Amino acid sequence: MISEKIKNIKPGVCEYEIVHEDWVFRLLHYKGEPIYKTPVLICYAFINRPVILDLHEEVSVIKRLLEAGLDIWMVDWGYPSFADRHLRISDYIDYLDFCVDLVRRERKVDKLTLHGYCLGSTLAVIYSALYPEKIKNLIIQTPPINFDTENTLAIWAKSIDPRKISKALFNASGDLLNLAFLLVDPIRLIVGKYQSLINSFEDEKSVKDFFFMDHWIFDSPSVAGDVFEEFILRWYHGNEVMNGNYEIEGKKVDISKIDMPVLVLAAEKDHITPPESVIPFFEKIPSRDKKMLLSEKGHIGLSVSKTSHSKIWPEAIRWIVERS
Amino acid sequence: MISQDEAIELFKLAPKESFELLLRNIEIRRVVEKLWEKHQQGSISYDENFEKIYEEFSKFFYRPIEVAIFGIKQLSYLFPFVEFMKILESQNELWDAYYEFLGSAFSHLRLLSEIYFSYTATEPVKSVIDRFLDQYVDSIKSSVSEFTKIDLMHEYPLILPKKVFEDFDEAISSWRSFLEFFRMYRDLRKGAFVSAAERFIEIANNKKFSDLLEFLNTFSNEEAKEFDNLLRSEKYVEVQKKMIESLMDYIYHFRKFYEGIAENNPLNPFATISQLDEAFKRIFDLRRKIRELEKRIEEIERGVNR
């Protein structure tokens, strides 16, 4: 019975403690035995949940990082509710700065490694441009920095008026965002994927893997209304980070200040943030120690596929360890 | 594939969306199996089986529209519309008559029993509390009936500010616009589905597939290619944009209409969601000022000058 196979599915394997909470935001510290001095702070996206980096034993990126002797911290942006509708991107940067300072103080270091995931990469890039003195290494995974791309999701994002959505719904709900992500590739995601599940009903492992992933996919927080407006209008419509006209609280975000070592993790078949979302940025930054690792998988496969765990992550971790 | 009992267990364990999509795909598989049988017996054509696949495939995506329609149904019972008011008034009169009838019947029985008791027993002794409660309930009943005797409720459109009705008009016109674009959107998607299905039929009728999976995968691939092209097309993007915008306008103006009614009811004890939203905005503005001050104090303590 299929229900028997999925009885105990709960994404997330590594233990952590909540170091700080600030309304909806949290700073987590993963339990481990670090041997390297430089802490790694993961700045997750404000869409979906960070547990994709720790989905289950076999494909946990967090577990790999901990086993490599790294000290792992995570900013969790939580589940914004109606009461959080007026959060702004500057609030996210402000909390990121708070966390960076807290970790630096706690570990008595001047700089740390900042690892951004998807839209968390955009935040990480903005932060690194504003406070380069606090960042030793910058890692950006499936990063949307250049929003002037031709993938379907970008075409749609550039066509909508987010103000109408936030005026009507207050926040962009997780259900709405999920629907958009599924509509981008409806046959493969709605029919193909589930037909494959039907084909492998007897295979317990495949069924489990499928539901681990679906638990993550459909556990979708809302995006605060003001944040939704800002990232669609200023990032997608205006491509302001790349164009150099983005500012936070009056401070200009200048990517020419990103001169620390930079590691880019991108995915060839990524239909959400294709490699073009980062290549112009990668070419433009002055950093002399920069590297791009390209997975043959898609946006999520980069975190959870066995191929990525055998090819990309060992190399990525080596890069981080050498600079920690 | 999944028994009735197991479906209930699965609904409890799986994400709601996964559950729905799995059941829809089990149905799709059944239909594809029928098509596969037909293919093995000779040839296939565009028939009700393809329509069924399209229906199962599409339903999930039309959920926001169902939510919007469901929302209006719920709200229409909470707020009085003009057409409902007259029905409510008639119902009210009926209830009043029925209430009076029951009251009379009750009084009649009470009088009878009092007469009977005066012959057969002494009057039951009531406590001070019971007597007070009887008296209080009687006084409330008489004042409530005074309130409900107002007969002008169906003229309430003249009581509310004009903005309320402007929002109503905007909501109706946005809904009409939404329906127009939704039909275009639905036709574009259906057109893509049918066109890919016809291409698949042509392939299927000129080829023998090794098994059901090859048959199914070929069908899925043809559909996926067609949708890849459609979803990026200028026409689709434009229709989708207008459909979303008019749906959002409809939701916004309908909500404002209801809020207008609520805000103009002096007895309404609740804040509207827009009033709460404004309060949250002010809280966030204050919070940012506090954070700025905290940072400044930290800097002063560390001896940093601006």
Side-chain angles (χ1 to χ4, degrees):
Chain A
M1 279 192 18
I2 188 169
S3 50
E4 282 297 320
K5 295 182 181 106
I6 63 167
K7 224 162 202 170
N8 299 314
I9 285 185
K10 191 173 179 288
V13 285
C14 297
E15 274 187 71
Y16 60 79
E17 60 169 335
I18 301 161
V19 179
H20 185 263
E21 279 184 274
D22 186 15
W23 288 4
V24 70
F25 302 156
R26 299 190 308 174
L27 174 64
L28 317 177
H29 180 234
Y30 283 92
K31 290 178 183 171
E33 289 169 5
I35 50 175
Y36 297 99
K37 204 180 165 211
T38 309
V40 178
L41 176 62
I42 301 175
C43 172
Y44 195 74
F46 44 79
I47 287 179
N48 284 113
R49 301 287 296 142
V51 80
I52 191 67
L53 292 169
D54 186 29
L55 198 61
H56 60 78
E57 285 281 347
E58 285 174 42
V59 290
S60 169
V61 172
I62 304 282
K63 189 168 165 247
R64 281 183 164 273
L65 294 167
L66 291 170
E67 282 170 355
L70 292 159
D71 183 17
I72 306 299
W73 303 67
M74 165 90 75
V75 188
D76 174 3
W77 302 118
Y79 294 86
S81 69
F82 166 64
D84 305 301
R85 188 246 173 134
H86 294 289
L87 274 169
R88 293 186 200 141
I89 287 175
S90 59
D91 296 316
Y92 283 68
I93 295 295
D94 189 48
Y95 190 66
L96 187 54
D97 187 40
F98 172 86
C99 293
V100 167
D101 286 347
L102 189 150
V103 176
R104 286 162 66 224
R105 242 185 353 259
E106 194 78 16
R107 289 295 182 257
K108 297 181 177 60
V109 290
D110 290 334
K111 297 178 175 197
L112 51 73
T113 295
L114 186 58
H115 176 166
Y117 180 96
C118 189
L119 283 166
S121 295
T122 324
L123 296 177
V125 162
I126 291 167
Y127 185 81
S128 304
L130 291 172
Y131 304 97
E133 70 283 1
K134 297 181 188 180
I135 303 302
K136 189 169 182 187
N137 308 299
L138 173 65
I139 304 153
I140 45 176
Q141 183 177 343
T142 56
I145 313 296
N146 168 42
F147 287 84
D148 192 14
T149 57
E150 287 306 310
N151 52 315
T152 308
L153 194 69
I155 293 172
W156 289 6
K158 283 184 270 186
S159 80
I160 60 163
D161 184 349
R163 287 164 297 199
K164 286 197 183 263
I165 294 174
S166 71
K167 217 165 86 168
L169 307 177
F170 297 105
N171 290 334
S173 71
D175 284 350
L176 184 84
L177 298 168
N178 266 335
L179 205 63
F181 286 125
L182 293 176
L183 271 167
V184 163
D185 195 359
I187 303 290
R188 293 179 191 93
L189 299 176
I190 293 292
V191 182
K193 196 179 118 180
Y194 288 86
Q195 289 297 328
S196 300
L197 172 68
I198 293 170
N199 295 339
S200 47
F201 263 174
E202 299 307 314
D203 180 358
E204 184 165 347
K205 193 178 172 321
S206 301
V207 170
K208 276 189 170 166
D209 285 352
F210 182 95
F211 279 98
F212 265 116
M213 184 60 84
D214 259 27
H215 270 283
W216 173 76
I217 286 173
F218 294 114
D219 177 14
S220 313
S222 299
V223 173
D226 286 3
V227 171
F228 183 68
E229 279 189 30
E230 193 176 344
F231 99 83
I232 296 289
L233 288 176
R234 300 189 66 187
W235 295 355
Y236 271 107
H237 291 206
N239 201 16
E240 290 187 13
V241 179
M242 271 309 288
N243 293 340
N245 42 11
Y246 190 67
E247 36 75 26
I248 290 275
E249 300 292 301
K251 289 181 215 155
K252 196 176 172 221
V253 175
D254 180 3
I255 57 170
S256 71
K257 288 192 176 152
I258 297 187
D259 56 359
M260 67 288 292
V262 173
L263 173 65
V264 173
L265 303 169
E268 271 172 24
K269 291 178 189 155
D270 193 336
H271 66 286
I272 297 169
T273 54
E276 306 84 73
S277 304
V278 70
I279 290 169
F281 165 82
F282 186 72
E283 287 167 352
K284 202 170 175 180
I285 51 171
S287 174
R288 274 181 288 175
D289 178 8
K290 56 183 178 182
K291 184 175 180 126
M292 184 184 300
L293 295 175
L294 206 55
S295 158
E296 63 197 31
K297 294 287 175 180
H299 191 79
I300 300 162
L302 178 54
S303 295
V304 297
S305 77
K306 289 205 182 92
T307 325
S308 294
H309 275 264
S310 65
K311 288 181 184 168
I312 300 289
W313 285 106
E315 206 177 333
I317 290 169
R318 197 161 44 243
W319 188 94
I320 303 167
V321 160
E322 282 167 4
R323 289 158 184 79
S324 298
Chain B
M1 250 172 242
I2 289 182
S3 68
Q4 209 72 357
D5 287 346
E6 193 181 6
I8 290 167
E9 198 54 32
L10 190 61
F11 182 67
K12 290 179 193 165
L13 293 169
K16 180 193 69 165
E17 296 83 353
S18 316
F19 175 78
E20 179 187 344
L21 291 173
L22 180 57
L23 290 201
R24 293 203 183 285
N25 271 279
I26 288 174
E27 197 53 42
I28 289 175
R29 176 63 66 97
R30 282 192 188 132
V31 178
V32 172
E33 280 168 358
K34 279 190 205 165
L35 285 168
W36 167 244
E37 271 174 35
K38 279 191 177 180
H39 167 72
Q40 283 182 310
Q41 286 159 10
S43 63
I44 55 170
S45 58
Y46 193 90
D47 58 9
E48 72 281 357
N49 289 314
F50 284 97
E51 287 288 308
K52 179 72 182 158
I53 294 173
Y54 181 72
E55 193 190 313
E56 293 297 339
F57 160 67
S58 300
K59 272 185 180 167
F60 185 81
F61 294 118
Y62 297 146
R63 192 73 72 240
I65 299 145
E66 284 180 11
V67 170
I69 295 168
F70 180 59
I72 181 77
K73 292 272 176 218
Q74 279 183 323
L75 284 170
S76 62
Y77 293 108
L78 290 177
F79 288 87
F81 283 110
V82 179
E83 62 266 33
F84 294 158
M85 290 309 299
K86 288 177 184 167
I87 299 170
L88 285 173
E89 280 182 359
S90 306
Q91 278 181 332
N92 199 33
E93 281 170 19
L94 184 70
W95 277 111
D96 280 350
Y98 189 58
Y99 183 78
E100 276 173 27
F101 163 72
L102 285 177
S104 306
F106 176 74
S107 302
H108 172 72
L109 287 171
R110 196 182 61 187
L111 279 171
L112 264 182
S113 65
E114 277 174 8
I115 293 165
Y116 176 73
F117 265 113
S118 68
Y119 283 110
T120 59
T122 52
E123 194 180 336
V125 180
K126 282 193 173 180
S127 72
V128 178
I129 294 273
D130 286 343
R131 280 207 305 270
F132 165 73
L133 289 175
D134 282 352
Q135 199 181 352
Y136 188 72
V137 168
D138 282 346
S139 76
I140 292 289
K141 273 180 189 165
S142 66
S143 47
V144 167
S145 70
E146 278 168 30
F147 269 119
T148 54
K149 291 293 176 201
I150 299 165
D151 291 329
L152 297 171
M153 281 179 79
H154 66 269
E155 289 186 2
Y156 86 105
L158 302 175
I159 301 168
L160 297 170
K162 207 171 174 192
K163 175 79 177 68
V164 174
F165 298 99
E166 284 169 0
D167 276 319
F168 184 75
D169 286 344
E170 282 288 336
I172 297 300
S173 107
S174 304
W175 181 253
R176 283 192 190 123
S177 166
F178 164 72
L179 284 181
E180 182 191 337
F181 289 110
F182 172 64
R183 283 188 194 111
M184 287 163 78
Y185 175 81
R186 203 180 47 188
D187 291 349
L188 284 171
R189 293 177 67 88
K190 180 77 184 283
F193 178 84
V194 173
S195 154
E198 281 169 351
R199 231 178 20 250
F200 165 71
I201 290 164
E202 204 181 320
I203 297 169
N205 288 342
N206 289 296
K207 182 183 172 180
K208 280 286 159 203
F209 293 100
S210 56
D211 55 22
L212 173 71
L213 282 188
E214 193 195 353
F215 182 77
L216 173 65
N217 288 340
T218 308
F219 172 62
S220 300
N221 288 341
E222 286 305 317
E223 289 290 347
K225 270 191 281 179
E226 190 70 31
F227 271 87
D228 284 345
N229 291 331
L230 171 75
L231 302 179
R232 301 170 58 79
S233 69
E234 219 170 284
K235 171 97 178 157
Y236 180 88
V237 172
E238 185 62 17
V239 168
Q240 180 175 253
K241 169 190 161 72
K242 288 186 172 155
M243 182 185 73
I244 294 171
E245 287 183 0
S246 48
L247 179 62
M248 293 302 136
D249 284 345
Y250 158 75
I251 293 171
Y252 172 75
H253 287 292
F254 232 132
R255 193 184 65 235
K256 293 303 282 182
F257 163 69
Y258 283 120
E259 285 187 332
I261 296 175
E263 283 170 14
N264 284 282
N265 179 348
L267 302 181
N268 170 29
F270 305 110
T272 64
I273 200 161
S274 294
Q275 289 166 334
L276 287 172
D277 185 50
E278 181 58 30
F280 286 129
K281 186 174 184 298
R282 291 180 194 183
I283 290 168
F284 266 101
D285 287 343
L286 280 173
R287 182 183 148 90
R288 287 183 194 108
K289 283 180 186 159
I290 292 167
R291 175 89 178 112
E292 195 53 43
L293 283 171
E294 279 174 349
K295 280 187 193 169
R296 188 72 193 120
I297 291 165
E298 271 175 39
E299 281 174 2
I300 291 166
E301 281 172 355
R302 281 189 284 120
V304 180
N305 288 318
R306 273 196 170 173

